[in-house]
Amino acid sequence: MSFKPAIILDETLPTGLKANFSAVLAMSLGKLRPDLVGADTPTEDGIALAGITTVAMPVLGAPAQDLPLLFAKAVDLPIRLAYMRAAFVARDYADYTVRITAEPLDAHIPQAVLLAGPRKAVDRICGSLPLLR
């Protein structure tokens, strides 16, 4: 099985938020799948550089109103992560958890999602989306 992750962002977000949301989702993926992070690699002069991802991770753009549908379509994928609006408005992680647990999943608004699983399944959901610009 060829494993493919893809990050999908609200294409209208400011650049800084796009970068931040991508980083947050990538960290979550790294926690779930540490095997996707390569070994540390030494430079010629012996300085070890920390491992980076061993898989390509496209960052795609989509209209904000499409993100909930894309997230819902990925329900059967092994990994389906979302950066919800609650995370953006929360003051800290404790506030975030209160906001998330206060409402059912359908009431939360994703601003970014990360889908991962078999390449064909991921491509069926988001393969037609453009790379983020």
Side-chain angles (χ1 to χ4, degrees):
M1 168 184 82
S2 178
F3 183 82
K4 178 180 182 176
I7 295 173
I8 308 163
L9 300 165
D10 170 355
E11 61 194 6
T12 65
L13 290 170
T15 302
L17 292 180
K18 290 175 184 174
N20 179 265
F21 295 176
S22 294
V24 168
L25 290 172
M27 283 185 67
S28 296
L29 177 62
K31 179 179 180 188
L32 292 172
R33 290 287 307 268
D35 60 301
L36 296 178
V37 179
D40 293 351
T41 304
T43 61
E44 184 272 333
D45 55 350
I47 307 298
L49 298 178
I52 62 170
T53 181
T54 60
V55 295
M57 195 172 331
V59 179
L60 310 171
Q65 66 269 17
D66 291 355
L67 291 174
L69 179 60
L70 292 165
F71 188 70
K73 283 183 177 181
V75 69
D76 293 328
L77 289 179
I79 296 176
R80 180 178 76 138
L81 307 173
Y83 188 100
M84 299 296 187
R85 174 103 179 118
F88 181 69
V89 297
R91 292 181 312 275
D92 54 32
Y93 199 78
D95 184 30
Y96 164 74
T97 60
V98 167
R99 290 172 186 269
I100 292 295
T101 59
E103 296 185 281
L105 180 61
D106 289 346
H108 292 285
I109 302 167
Q111 294 187 283
V113 297
L114 185 150
L115 312 177
R119 178 174 298 283
K120 287 183 181 181
V122 172
D123 285 344
R124 273 193 295 275
I125 296 168
C126 62
S128 64
L129 294 174
L131 286 174
L132 186 66
R133 300 243 176 243

